[in-house]
Amino acid sequence: MDIPFRPAADLPEPHPATLSAARCAAASAQDPTPCEGPHTAATIISGDGTEVAGCLHHCARLLAGLDGGRVHPFVPVDHSLEIYSRAGELPPFAWEIGR
């Protein structure tokens, strides 16, 4: 019996084509890029305090589009630096322009 996927209301929906691949919660439904590394490598906190765990790749892409977003303070420093570095090179919603 297949159980339908139902994401939490405050998390981005995974890309429909990759539901079977179980992408991280930080991956936007419109972002076709695959995860890189563990799906809980880091946690991003939005401006309103919502927390989303994800891989480093999707955390950076999510952070680039958040107003007032930040990396959770308990994320290892090397992961935080990688996320901030990647996010700084990306426009918001990079997948909309093919990046």
Side-chain angles (χ1 to χ4, degrees):
M1 177 170 105
D2 289 332
I3 298 173
F5 177 79
R6 295 188 183 175
D10 58 343
L11 299 177
E13 289 188 35
H15 192 274
T18 59
L19 285 177
S20 61
R23 293 179 359 139
C24 71
S28 171
Q30 294 80 28
D31 186 350
T33 61
C35 289
E36 291 178 15
H39 291 189
T40 57
T43 301
I44 300 298
I45 304 172
S46 68
D48 68 0
T50 303
E51 296 184 7
V52 178
C55 70
L56 297 180
H57 174 71
H58 288 115
C59 281
R61 293 170 77 82
L62 177 62
L63 185 61
L66 285 178
D67 193 24
R70 62 194 187 281
V71 177
H72 194 283
F74 293 136
V75 171
V77 173
D78 58 332
H79 288 180
S80 294
L81 292 172
E82 181 69 21
I83 291 167
Y84 280 117
S85 176
R86 289 185 186 195
E89 296 176 3
L90 292 170
F93 313 106
W95 55 89
E96 290 181 354
I97 59 170
R99 287 187 68 192

